[in-house]
Amino acid sequence: KTIEVGLIQSELLIRRRIQRVLILTPAALRLQWRDEMWDKFSLQFDVVDRDSTQKLKRAVGIDANPWRSCPRIIASYYYLRQPDVLEQFRSACRTPEGTPRLPWDLLIVDEAHNLMPSPFGEDSGLCKMLRMIAPFFEHRLFLTATPHNGHTRCFSGLLELLDPVRFSRTDELK
């Protein structure tokens, strides 16, 4: 998965189609993603977490926002789901009214099955977070090697998160 993502990113960067990239992954895979992107594609990513945010604030000032300061970021989706962090992300995404460009170019979600909409009842906090941030990105890649759970509502909901213009969450695919 990381090799495919690296190839896609490299091509989009060469064509000048993207600049700002966010990779969301389980916390345990953040450094692995950073190292793979650097070792195989010479793409430098900053890992954003509590420690790196505190370091940035000490170096730059208390109002420093890593979501605004770094062009390519790797973060845990559990970290971004936290209300204060999510609000900091959303504040960095505010653009002047009438700006045609979205604040981010590419969202990559690793192990996307962890953020899949619920087949019954209310969606998880991770899914809600993904639903909230997805509109800030022009392009989206969802990665998983885990087989689909068989619920049409989950699958169509994931497709809706990828492309809300073409897909909508439904109980029956037609």
Side-chain angles (χ1 to χ4, degrees):
K1 293 182 297 186
T2 55
I3 301 297
E4 291 176 76
V5 165
L7 291 170
I8 291 167
Q9 280 184 92
S10 295
E11 184 65 25
L12 290 171
L13 285 164
I14 289 168
R15 293 176 184 230
R16 298 182 190 270
R17 298 285 311 273
I18 63 170
Q19 292 176 353
R20 301 202 65 218
V21 179
L22 174 61
I23 298 175
L24 290 178
T25 183
L29 299 177
R30 292 171 305 165
L31 298 180
Q32 180 182 335
W33 267 95
R34 184 195 63 193
D35 295 345
E36 291 274 327
M37 291 296 105
W38 177 250
D39 293 343
K40 293 187 171 59
F41 299 99
S42 298
L43 294 174
Q44 184 173 350
F45 278 83
D46 293 292
V47 173
V48 171
D49 56 16
R50 285 255 181 243
D51 291 340
S52 67
T53 300
Q54 292 306 319
K55 283 181 190 173
L56 180 68
K57 287 182 182 222
R58 280 194 298 274
V60 178
I62 195 72
D63 291 333
N65 187 331
W67 309 105
R68 200 178 283 128
S69 302
C70 308
R72 290 193 291 262
I73 293 175
I74 297 171
S76 160
Y77 34 71
Y78 293 102
Y79 175 67
L80 183 55
R81 178 186 68 176
Q82 298 173 43
D84 62 322
V85 176
L86 188 55
E87 182 51 41
Q88 189 179 47
F89 175 84
R90 291 180 68 197
S91 74
C93 291
R94 291 191 183 103
T95 57
E97 189 106 4
T99 303
R101 187 168 168 81
L102 291 171
W104 289 86
D105 298 311
L106 178 61
L107 171 64
I108 299 161
V109 180
D110 190 22
E111 304 294 337
H113 59 276
N114 293 325
L115 289 81
M116 189 176 302
S118 173
F120 312 105
E122 192 173 335
D123 288 335
S124 70
L126 288 175
C127 181
K128 289 177 183 177
M129 177 269 303
L130 182 58
R131 194 173 301 285
M132 187 181 297
I133 69 165
F136 296 122
F137 295 84
E138 184 174 348
H139 307 286
R140 300 168 197 145
L141 288 173
F142 292 177
L143 314 170
T144 185
T146 300
H148 181 268
N149 66 9
H151 293 284
T152 301
R153 189 165 168 78
C154 295
F155 182 68
S156 64
L158 203 53
L159 290 175
E160 180 184 48
L161 289 167
L162 276 170
D163 189 347
V165 174
R166 292 189 184 137
F167 303 102
S168 63
R169 193 171 180 178
T170 181
D171 291 327
E172 187 178 321
L173 290 178
K174 297 176 183 172

